Amino acid sequence: MNDIRELARSKMSICKACKECNGIVCAGWTPGCGGKGNGSTFIRNVAKLKEVCVNMNVISSNEKLTCETDFFGSKVSLPVYVAPIGNIFVHYGANMSEYDYTKALVDGVGKDTIVFTGDGQNIDVLMEPLKAVDDGWVVPTIKPWQNDEMKKRIDMIKSSKCSVCCSDIDAAGLTALKTGYPAVEFKDEKALKEIVEKANMPVIFKGIMTKDAAIKCMNAGASGIVISNHGGRVLQDACSTIEVLEEIATAVNGKMKIFIDGGFRSGSDVFKALALGADGVLIGRPFSIAAIGDGANGVRKYLDKIHEELKETMMMCGCRKISDINRDCVRVSWR
Amino acid sequence: MNDIRELARSKMSICKACKECNGIVCAGWTPGCGGKGNGSTFIRNVAKLKEVCVNMNVISSNEKLTCETDFFGSKVSLPVYVAPIGNIFVHYGANMSEYDYTKALVDGVGKDTIVFTGDGQNIDVLMEPLKAVDDGWVVPTIKPWQNDEMKKRIDMIKSSKCSVCCSDIDAAGLTALKTGYPAVEFKDEKALKEIVEKANMPVIFKGIMTKDAAIKCMNAGASGIVISNHGGRVLQDACSTIEVLEEIATAVNGKMKIFIDGGFRSGSDVFKALALGADGVLIGRPFSIAAIGDGANGVRKYLDKIHEELKETMMMCGCRKISDINRDCVRVSWR
Amino acid sequence: MNDIRELARSKMSICKACKECNGIVCAGWTPGCGGKGNGSTFIRNVAKLKEVCVNMNVISSNEKLTCETDFFGSKVSLPVYVAPIGNIFVHYGANMSEYDYTKALVDGVGKDTIVFTGDGQNIDVLMEPLKAVDDGWVVPTIKPWQNDEMKKRIDMIKSSKCSVCCSDIDAAGLTALKTGYPAVEFKDEKALKEIVEKANMPVIFKGIMTKDAAIKCMNAGASGIVISNHGGRVLQDACSTIEVLEEIATAVNGKMKIFIDGGFRSGSDVFKALALGADGVLIGRPFSIAAIGDGANGVRKYLDKIHEELKETMMMCGCRKISDINRDCVRVSWR
Amino acid sequence: MNDIRELARSKMSICKACKECNGIVCAGWTPGCGGKGNGSTFIRNVAKLKEVCVNMNVISSNEKLTCETDFFGSKVSLPVYVAPIGNIFVHYGANMSEYDYTKALVDGVGKDTIVFTGDGQNIDVLMEPLKAVDDGWVVPTIKPWQNDEMKKRIDMIKSSKCSVCCSDIDAAGLTALKTGYPAVEFKDEKALKEIVEKANMPVIFKGIMTKDAAIKCMNAGASGIVISNHGGRVLQDACSTIEVLEEIATAVNGKMKIFIDGGFRSGSDVFKALALGADGVLIGRPFSIAAIGDGANGVRKYLDKIHEELKETMMMCGCRKISDINRDCVRVSWR
């Protein structure tokens, strides 16, 4: 991965592709790849993950280990997904089109996992990536636009082959999208329900950080949520995602899929989230750096690394399949 | 704000206008802007605020957001007030008169919020600022002088248009004011009661750090308190203000207004105090630096920054008005 | 010990023989002496030991102090054992044969304690060390090979004079040993039972980190376990050994011997483990550095140092023999 | 104090008279002024004191503040005593006789407080200091010698005018005193009782760190104890003194005087100990540095500084006399 990071550094002007991607160097670099304001939310995402450790347990069978998971009817090789990042030029200073960026991601991960794609005021940010995928093996993520625009874009997705969609409703807080046209807005439970009904396919709401919000998503008919603080890019001084996961999972109690993002870097990090109740993990920055640095090849290498690390962690904790991972597999320092 | 800090550095000889104003560089600089002794109290004020994080919650209406608050019958745009700082030359090494300093503050904040003004042995420190304001839109803060002087100064305030006054009773601990004339003294509950009766207007006592002291203020008829350790300038090794807020708020139970100061720098810091039970926050050093650096213009910029940050935090935590902010909005690491 | 570390540095190319051996410099150096991946497990092993402190208690008799302990019928001078490390060239970059390495260890410790020896795909790694010892005063530690190989090697041990053997079953996770011949495999409770029955001597299973695994070992007939995460060399982000010790000891309740390794460096560290329920401590890296640096002489010096420190700690905590050490002798910060 | 530290640096070869005396620079410098081994005990003494903060409370009377305390029938101006340090050449590398060192201390503190003096194999270390004081206003501290020597030295003290004596029974762990003549030994409850009876004056046992040991001292008839780990100089990895104080004070329940030492540097540190149950605090290194640097003049300055800080802390926490200080005056982070 050192090579890929070095390549990436030569191809982008904002992100420094640090050896440890922890939000410290880039604190406050928004627009850009850093956390908002003092950068504390991004930094806390990474720091709190270190306060979870895994319980090694080697007494087990030699049954073949698999990370296979169901993602709304599709089989993926591991429950790690590519987080939606659009406007790669604005965020990384990389001279790469949305199409090429998505192409690198989807070619890189193949059918092993699924790429979430982004959105922007310019509708090309939403649609160009979809052109890079011809079989619907992607999750378009729409910004929480005002009603008419929202419906228009949902219709466009429905006319693609995609069978699951997402909306990062915390993007309502993105200053840059509050003015101009279309503009984002906040969604209440009723508005979320309308989106779900309009979409007529499984809908995932991204940007959930409390159990109350999770329950509202359930009530609105969501099929899943992403516990996310937008990588620390919409609010300073927010809680980390990993520390709110368990109480949200307890409240949801299996009635909705729970995804999470925010500072996950290794397979052992992914394992921690699964143990605390997540069904899958979205990873953003490292995939972006891999795609910018070495295209599909870099993405593949990073995915293989995460996959290998997840397998090793499972194997060493007595888990042979994803459903074997449970709360007893980790120990948390913050309680 | 970088520009304003740079300007300020060129106009004062003590404070270094650090990028992060956290009491580390100036530890022990008293007289001056630093914390007393080893500086631990100032440092702890800032550090403990970082152990509170906010619960992001974006499922909400798009109702217009307002930070409007009532301050003893006056409407302010946000519950953030300018803390009383007198003797700007002694504390910052800035060549600025009390009059000009106050003028910059009151012109800067306009009617958006209220400036607390200071006091000193030289009565000009109390009265010059009042000359800068002709409509009573200011809270004069009297030192806890011995009885006769206290009454004399209260009479002078009563003859101004001010309708609320304050006394920073923890100034009884300021070595420089214990000798000479007039001298400060400690006030017991009976003495506080006399002050309240003499003033015949809402009185706020500043420098409260325990629930016992808060209850004594209530018994004495105070209309409000400021939880404060004088910015760490009267005692080393004291508790931070944010960590005592919740238990004082619980004891007071709405029967008195609770303000707080000590290391608040951003709108998210203000939000944390409101969530833990405060009715408002006083901010000192950053306003002083802004006033010294760029006068009313600097003050306005800093107030707008805090206001914007507070609105963003509220918006991202599902709050549309100040009264929406409650204990569920934050998570505290120290319990 | 400074001299020995300096000598060692001149004789090996990987380990830096740091003054404080804490896993920070060598993080990720595998193969080599460092912790796997981000090195967090090795680092946590050392860090968590610092969160235990001892309760000094000097009111006691002057009875002669002894650290003598029974090790499965053999009397050792102190409950500190040399951890099994094979392939000294691969791990330390030291040009030393397995035979010479073991010879330095066993000559160094004499009959004061017992050396655990290592194993490898090349059977010489197992057998050469045994040639260095002619009286069985050693604990051979077999990798968890697939069944036939396991039985073959157990037979070889049975034909030596050794009366206790060990298997580091967490080596099933060592990537380098998963391919080639023989290959390692995971062992379930049934497989462990077969090993115990085949061995027909006391068997110790090494690499236990949960009470569930400990109970399985008991059920399989093990005579002892080593609480170990392989020095942080098989998994990143795992718990430290010292923090799981107490709950495992409570579960085992004296029915099996409990050993532990992972970051123990001084006699006071050993004391902490004994107080939290261990019967003995295995130490690896420091003995390797001593053996590489100054042979039997270095090993003796390090053993004497640990012995002296353990005696001092016991003496200052009111303990005159190993069985005097109990839970009241330490205070733990992490609860 | 900066001047005094600078002078001291020029007159001693071991201690560096650091601005913050916290055991970090001198870790392991024994003999010398540092903590034993890795220095962790000395460092923890200082660090844990920082986890206690004081509850400021300014609503109070203006009654005259006094720190006066009774010390076994003698009135001292403040409950801060000079800790016994002998062999000033060995520990600080200062070319100063025991006589001159004690003379500087007793002349410096005058009748404001009391100096504990030291002891050594060479009986001059015990007796020379006593020559520096002609009125018994001193507490000789005898090492825990074997019986005959102990009794001989107690007789010598009884023939002086001293009316209280002390024995630092944790010196039984000092390696340098275990061989040669006389040698130290551990004392059990019976031996402590013999000492108390032989002395026939109030006896204080120093080096107590658990409630069990404290109770044994009570049973033996001691009049007081010093909670002490010998400044971290007899054992590494021991608990700090401040963290064991409260539980010992609860167990003793006023039936014996409780003193404490270990890292106390300021008047606010002293206040913390008094709030957690101590009757007085012994301070060592800072007094030594003051005496070496500027003789009686330096000692007086340091005592005045501590006295002033203690008065300020009491005043700002609503305490007017030592007995006003109670558990509500502080907040502890480690529980």
Side-chain angles (χ1 to χ4, degrees):
Chain A
M1 302 305 300
N2 283 332
D3 294 353
I4 294 172
R5 275 201 303 273
E6 203 163 317
L7 279 167
R9 270 179 224 121
S10 71
K11 295 179 184 175
M12 61 193 183
S13 59
I14 299 177
C15 172
K16 300 300 173 199
C18 300
K19 191 173 171 194
E20 186 184 356
C21 177
N22 55 19
I24 291 172
V25 167
C26 57
W29 293 1
T30 49
C33 53
K36 185 165 181 174
N38 57 23
S40 54
T41 304
F42 179 178
I43 292 169
R44 189 176 177 109
N45 276 345
V46 175
K48 286 288 164 184
L49 266 167
K50 294 189 184 167
E51 294 183 24
V52 185
C53 63
V54 308
N55 287 320
M56 202 176 100
N57 183 355
V58 295
I59 303 183
S60 77
S61 75
N62 291 286
E63 195 189 326
K64 196 171 152 45
L65 189 150
T66 173
C67 304
E68 266 186 22
T69 308
D70 172 78
F71 181 82
F72 299 106
S74 300
K75 193 181 76 182
V76 293
S77 303
L78 71 167
V80 171
Y81 309 93
V82 183
I85 296 185
N87 264 323
I88 211 71
F89 180 74
V90 170
H91 296 132
Y92 290 85
N95 200 356
M96 199 175 189
S97 72
E98 304 298 318
Y99 180 93
D100 289 344
Y101 175 69
T102 308
K103 191 78 180 140
L105 291 171
V106 296
D107 287 356
V109 306
K111 289 291 179 270
D112 280 330
T113 191
I114 292 177
V115 175
F116 285 63
T117 56
D119 190 11
Q121 282 178 322
N122 181 338
I123 204 157
D124 289 348
V125 182
L126 175 66
M127 299 311 293
E128 283 297 304
L130 294 190
K131 292 183 193 161
V133 195
D134 57 6
D135 57 0
W137 190 256
V138 79
V139 180
T141 303
I142 322 178
K143 298 286 172 211
W145 308 114
Q146 286 165 329
N147 250 8
D148 288 356
E149 184 69 19
M150 194 85 193
K151 288 180 179 164
K152 185 177 117 191
R153 298 204 180 193
I154 289 174
D155 279 332
M156 294 174 80
I157 287 170
K158 285 165 80 172
S159 70
S160 78
K161 289 186 181 158
C162 301
S163 58
V164 180
C165 71
C166 179
S167 180
D168 51 339
I169 56 174
D170 57 349
L174 285 175
T175 318
L177 301 181
K178 278 188 241 172
T179 54
Y181 182 82
V184 291
E185 64 174 16
F186 284 90
K187 303 292 182 189
D188 60 14
E189 190 180 313
K190 183 162 160 288
L192 296 181
K193 195 168 189 178
E194 282 173 25
I195 294 169
V196 171
E197 283 165 2
K198 173 73 184 166
N200 200 25
M201 66 174 88
V203 176
I204 299 166
F205 291 118
K206 181 168 177 286
I208 305 307
M209 289 293 291
T210 64
K211 63 181 180 192
D212 284 354
I215 288 167
K216 283 180 180 161
C217 290
M218 272 206 287
N219 293 343
S223 297
I225 55 171
V226 185
I227 296 175
S228 174
N229 50 33
H230 220 96
R233 299 173 46 70
V234 290
L235 186 62
Q236 76 174 25
D237 288 353
C239 298
S240 69
T241 54
I242 192 72
E243 71 190 311
V244 302
L245 168 55
E246 190 173 7
E247 74 185 43
I248 291 179
T250 302
V252 167
N253 197 20
K255 290 175 200 134
M256 215 171 38
K257 293 286 178 193
I258 297 175
F259 304 95
I260 187 169
D261 73 3
F264 293 84
R265 299 292 174 258
S266 67
S268 51
D269 285 342
V270 171
F271 182 90
K272 295 172 189 178
L274 301 176
L276 289 169
D279 295 290
V281 171
L282 275 65
I283 295 181
R285 290 172 181 93
F287 274 119
S288 296
I289 292 166
I292 292 167
D294 200 21
N297 182 46
V299 169
R300 165 55 49 187
K301 278 190 188 156
Y302 181 70
L303 183 70
D304 286 350
K305 172 186 169 285
I306 287 280
H307 197 166
E308 199 51 44
E309 289 168 345
L310 176 57
K311 284 197 282 187
E312 276 176 355
T313 310
M314 288 171 63
M315 188 176 77
M316 294 306 287
C317 294
C319 303
R320 294 282 151 181
K321 52 188 186 300
I322 295 296
S323 59
D324 290 344
I325 305 173
N326 62 42
R327 185 60 182 83
D328 289 341
C329 294
V330 292
R331 190 175 292 254
V332 172
S333 298
W334 66 69
R335 293 251 165 94
Chain B
M1 301 306 299
N2 284 332
D3 294 353
I4 293 171
R5 276 200 303 274
E6 202 163 316
L7 278 168
R9 272 178 222 120
S10 72
K11 295 180 184 173
M12 60 193 183
S13 58
I14 300 177
C15 172
K16 299 302 174 198
C18 300
K19 192 174 171 193
E20 187 185 356
C21 176
N22 55 18
I24 292 173
V25 166
C26 57
W29 294 0
T30 48
C33 53
K36 186 166 182 174
N38 57 21
S40 53
T41 303
F42 180 0
I43 292 168
R44 189 176 178 110
N45 275 345
V46 175
K48 286 289 164 182
L49 266 167
K50 294 189 183 166
E51 293 183 26
V52 185
C53 62
V54 308
N55 286 321
M56 203 176 97
N57 183 355
V58 295
I59 303 183
S60 76
S61 75
N62 291 286
E63 193 188 329
K64 196 171 153 44
L65 191 151
T66 174
C67 304
E68 265 185 23
T69 306
D70 172 78
F71 181 81
F72 299 106
S74 300
K75 194 181 76 181
V76 293
S77 302
L78 71 166
V80 171
Y81 308 92
V82 182
I85 296 185
N87 263 323
I88 212 70
F89 179 74
V90 170
H91 297 133
Y92 290 86
N95 200 356
M96 197 174 191
S97 72
E98 303 299 317
Y99 180 94
D100 288 343
Y101 175 68
T102 307
K103 191 78 181 140
L105 292 171
V106 295
D107 286 356
V109 305
K111 288 289 178 273
D112 280 330
T113 190
I114 292 178
V115 175
F116 284 63
T117 56
D119 189 11
Q121 283 177 321
N122 182 338
I123 204 155
D124 289 348
V125 182
L126 175 66
M127 298 311 292
E128 282 297 305
L130 295 191
K131 291 182 193 164
V133 195
D134 57 6
D135 58 359
W137 190 257
V138 77
V139 180
T141 304
I142 321 179
K143 299 284 173 211
W145 307 114
Q146 286 164 328
N147 251 8
D148 287 355
E149 184 70 20
M150 195 83 193
K151 288 181 179 166
K152 184 178 116 192
R153 297 203 181 194
I154 290 175
D155 278 332
M156 293 174 80
I157 288 170
K158 284 166 81 172
S159 69
S160 78
K161 289 186 180 160
C162 301
S163 58
V164 180
C165 70
C166 178
S167 180
D168 51 337
I169 56 174
D170 57 348
L174 285 175
T175 317
L177 301 182
K178 279 188 239 170
T179 52
Y181 182 80
V184 291
E185 64 174 15
F186 285 90
K187 303 293 182 187
D188 58 15
E189 191 181 313
K190 182 162 161 289
L192 296 181
K193 195 167 189 178
E194 283 172 24
I195 294 169
V196 171
E197 284 165 2
K198 173 75 184 166
N200 199 26
M201 65 174 89
V203 175
I204 299 165
F205 291 118
K206 180 167 178 285
I208 305 306
M209 289 293 291
T210 64
K211 63 181 179 192
D212 284 354
I215 288 167
K216 283 180 181 162
C217 290
M218 271 206 287
N219 294 342
S223 297
I225 54 171
V226 185
I227 296 176
S228 173
N229 50 34
H230 221 94
R233 299 173 46 71
V234 290
L235 186 62
Q236 75 173 27
D237 288 354
C239 298
S240 68
T241 54
I242 193 70
E243 72 191 310
V244 302
L245 168 56
E246 191 173 6
E247 74 186 43
I248 291 179
T250 302
V252 167
N253 197 21
K255 290 175 201 134
M256 217 171 35
K257 293 286 177 192
I258 298 175
F259 304 94
I260 186 169
D261 72 3
F264 293 83
R265 299 292 175 257
S266 67
S268 52
D269 285 342
V270 171
F271 181 90
K272 295 171 189 178
L274 301 177
L276 289 169
D279 295 289
V281 171
L282 274 65
I283 296 181
R285 290 172 181 92
F287 274 118
S288 296
I289 292 166
I292 293 167
D294 200 19
N297 182 48
V299 169
R300 164 55 47 186
K301 278 190 186 155
Y302 181 69
L303 183 69
D304 286 349
K305 173 186 168 285
I306 287 278
H307 197 168
E308 200 50 45
E309 289 167 346
L310 176 57
K311 284 197 282 186
E312 277 175 353
T313 310
M314 288 171 63
M315 189 177 75
M316 295 305 287
C317 293
C319 302
R320 293 284 150 179
K321 51 188 187 301
I322 294 296
S323 59
D324 289 345
I325 305 173
N326 62 43
R327 186 61 183 81
D328 288 341
C329 294
V330 292
R331 191 174 292 253
V332 172
S333 299
W334 65 69
R335 292 250 166 97
Chain C
M1 300 306 299
N2 283 333
D3 293 354
I4 293 172
R5 276 200 303 273
E6 202 163 318
L7 278 167
R9 271 179 222 120
S10 72
K11 296 180 181 173
M12 60 194 185
S13 59
I14 300 176
C15 171
K16 299 301 174 199
C18 299
K19 192 175 170 191
E20 187 184 355
C21 176
N22 55 19
I24 291 172
V25 166
C26 58
W29 294 1
T30 49
C33 53
K36 186 166 181 173
N38 56 23
S40 54
T41 303
F42 180 177
I43 292 168
R44 189 177 178 108
N45 276 345
V46 176
K48 286 288 165 184
L49 265 168
K50 294 188 185 168
E51 295 184 24
V52 185
C53 62
V54 307
N55 286 321
M56 201 175 100
N57 182 356
V58 294
I59 302 183
S60 76
S61 75
N62 290 286
E63 195 188 326
K64 196 172 152 45
L65 190 151
T66 173
C67 303
E68 267 187 22
T69 307
D70 172 78
F71 181 81
F72 299 106
S74 299
K75 193 182 75 182
V76 293
S77 302
L78 71 167
V80 170
Y81 309 93
V82 182
I85 296 184
N87 263 324
I88 211 71
F89 179 75
V90 171
H91 296 132
Y92 290 85
N95 200 357
M96 199 174 188
S97 72
E98 304 298 319
Y99 180 93
D100 289 344
Y101 175 68
T102 308
K103 191 77 180 143
L105 292 171
V106 296
D107 287 356
V109 306
K111 288 292 178 270
D112 280 329
T113 190
I114 291 176
V115 174
F116 284 64
T117 57
D119 189 11
Q121 282 178 323
N122 181 338
I123 204 158
D124 289 348
V125 182
L126 175 66
M127 299 310 293
E128 283 297 304
L130 295 190
K131 290 182 194 162
V133 195
D134 56 6
D135 57 359
W137 190 258
V138 79
V139 180
T141 303
I142 321 178
K143 300 283 173 213
W145 307 115
Q146 287 165 329
N147 251 6
D148 288 355
E149 184 69 20
M150 195 83 191
K151 288 180 179 165
K152 183 178 117 192
R153 298 203 180 193
I154 290 174
D155 279 333
M156 294 174 80
I157 287 170
K158 285 165 81 173
S159 70
S160 79
K161 288 186 180 157
C162 300
S163 57
V164 181
C165 71
C166 178
S167 179
D168 51 338
I169 57 175
D170 57 348
L174 285 175
T175 318
L177 301 181
K178 278 187 239 173
T179 53
Y181 182 81
V184 290
E185 65 175 15
F186 284 90
K187 302 294 182 188
D188 59 13
E189 190 179 313
K190 182 162 161 290
L192 296 182
K193 195 167 189 176
E194 283 172 25
I195 294 169
V196 171
E197 284 165 1
K198 173 74 184 166
N200 199 25
M201 66 174 91
V203 175
I204 299 166
F205 291 118
K206 180 168 178 288
I208 305 307
M209 288 294 291
T210 64
K211 64 182 179 191
D212 284 354
I215 288 166
K216 283 180 181 163
C217 290
M218 271 205 289
N219 294 342
S223 298
I225 55 172
V226 185
I227 297 176
S228 174
N229 50 32
H230 221 95
R233 298 175 46 72
V234 291
L235 186 61
Q236 77 175 25
D237 289 353
C239 297
S240 68
T241 54
I242 192 72
E243 70 190 312
V244 303
L245 168 56
E246 191 173 6
E247 75 186 43
I248 292 179
T250 302
V252 167
N253 197 19
K255 290 174 200 133
M256 213 169 41
K257 292 285 177 194
I258 298 175
F259 304 95
I260 186 168
D261 73 3
F264 292 83
R265 299 292 174 258
S266 67
S268 52
D269 285 342
V270 171
F271 182 89
K272 294 171 189 179
L274 301 176
L276 289 169
D279 296 291
V281 171
L282 274 65
I283 295 181
R285 289 170 182 95
F287 274 119
S288 297
I289 292 166
I292 293 167
D294 200 20
N297 182 47
V299 169
R300 164 55 47 186
K301 277 191 187 156
Y302 181 70
L303 184 69
D304 286 349
K305 172 186 168 287
I306 288 279
H307 198 165
E308 199 51 44
E309 290 167 345
L310 176 57
K311 285 196 282 186
E312 276 176 354
T313 310
M314 290 172 61
M315 188 178 75
M316 295 305 288
C317 294
C319 303
R320 293 284 150 178
K321 53 188 187 299
I322 294 297
S323 59
D324 290 344
I325 305 173
N326 62 44
R327 185 61 182 82
D328 289 340
C329 294
V330 292
R331 190 173 293 251
V332 172
S333 298
W334 65 68
R335 294 247 166 98
Chain D
M1 301 305 298
N2 283 333
D3 293 353
I4 293 172
R5 277 200 303 273
E6 203 163 316
L7 279 168
R9 272 178 222 121
S10 71
K11 296 180 183 173
M12 60 193 184
S13 58
I14 300 176
C15 172
K16 299 302 174 197
C18 300
K19 192 174 171 193
E20 187 185 355
C21 176
N22 55 18
I24 291 173
V25 166
C26 58
W29 293 1
T30 48
C33 52
K36 186 166 182 174
N38 56 22
S40 53
T41 303
F42 180 177
I43 293 169
R44 188 177 179 107
N45 275 345
V46 175
K48 286 288 165 185
L49 265 168
K50 294 188 184 167
E51 294 184 24
V52 185
C53 62
V54 307
N55 286 320
M56 201 175 99
N57 183 354
V58 294
I59 303 183
S60 76
S61 75
N62 290 286
E63 196 188 328
K64 196 172 154 43
L65 191 151
T66 173
C67 303
E68 267 186 22
T69 307
D70 172 78
F71 181 82
F72 299 106
S74 300
K75 194 180 75 182
V76 292
S77 302
L78 72 167
V80 170
Y81 309 92
V82 183
I85 296 185
N87 263 323
I88 212 70
F89 179 74
V90 170
H91 296 132
Y92 290 85
N95 200 356
M96 200 175 189
S97 72
E98 304 298 319
Y99 180 93
D100 288 343
Y101 175 68
T102 307
K103 191 78 180 143
L105 292 171
V106 296
D107 286 355
V109 305
K111 288 292 178 272
D112 280 330
T113 191
I114 292 177
V115 175
F116 284 64
T117 57
D119 189 11
Q121 283 177 321
N122 181 337
I123 204 156
D124 290 347
V125 181
L126 175 66
M127 298 311 292
E128 283 297 305
L130 295 190
K131 290 182 194 163
V133 195
D134 57 6
D135 58 359
W137 191 256
V138 78
V139 180
T141 303
I142 320 179
K143 299 283 173 213
W145 308 113
Q146 287 165 328
N147 251 5
D148 288 356
E149 184 69 20
M150 195 83 190
K151 288 179 179 166
K152 183 178 116 192
R153 297 202 181 194
I154 289 174
D155 278 333
M156 293 174 81
I157 287 170
K158 285 166 81 172
S159 70
S160 78
K161 289 186 181 160
C162 301
S163 57
V164 180
C165 70
C166 178
S167 179
D168 53 335
I169 57 176
D170 58 348
L174 285 175
T175 319
L177 302 181
K178 279 187 238 170
T179 52
Y181 182 80
V184 291
E185 65 175 14
F186 285 90
K187 302 295 182 187
D188 59 14
E189 190 180 313
K190 183 162 161 288
L192 296 182
K193 194 166 188 177
E194 282 172 26
I195 293 169
V196 171
E197 284 166 0
K198 173 74 185 167
N200 198 27
M201 65 174 89
V203 175
I204 299 166
F205 290 119
K206 181 168 178 285
I208 305 307
M209 288 293 291
T210 64
K211 64 181 179 193
D212 285 354
I215 288 167
K216 282 180 181 161
C217 290
M218 271 205 289
N219 295 342
S223 298
I225 55 171
V226 185
I227 297 177
S228 173
N229 50 33
H230 220 94
R233 298 173 47 71
V234 290
L235 186 62
Q236 76 174 25
D237 288 353
C239 298
S240 68
T241 53
I242 193 72
E243 71 190 310
V244 303
L245 169 56
E246 191 173 5
E247 75 186 44
I248 292 179
T250 302
V252 167
N253 197 21
K255 290 175 200 132
M256 213 169 41
K257 293 286 176 192
I258 298 176
F259 304 95
I260 187 169
D261 73 3
F264 293 83
R265 300 292 175 256
S266 67
S268 51
D269 285 343
V270 171
F271 182 89
K272 295 172 187 177
L274 301 177
L276 290 168
D279 295 291
V281 171
L282 274 65
I283 296 182
R285 289 171 181 93
F287 274 119
S288 297
I289 292 166
I292 292 167
D294 199 20
N297 183 46
V299 169
R300 164 55 48 185
K301 277 190 188 157
Y302 181 69
L303 183 70
D304 285 349
K305 173 185 167 287
I306 287 279
H307 197 167
E308 199 51 43
E309 290 168 346
L310 177 57
K311 285 196 282 185
E312 277 175 353
T313 310
M314 288 171 63
M315 190 177 74
M316 295 304 289
C317 293
C319 303
R320 294 281 151 179
K321 52 187 187 300
I322 294 298
S323 60
D324 290 344
I325 305 174
N326 62 43
R327 185 61 183 80
D328 289 341
C329 293
V330 292
R331 191 173 291 254
V332 171
S333 298
W334 64 69
R335 293 248 166 99

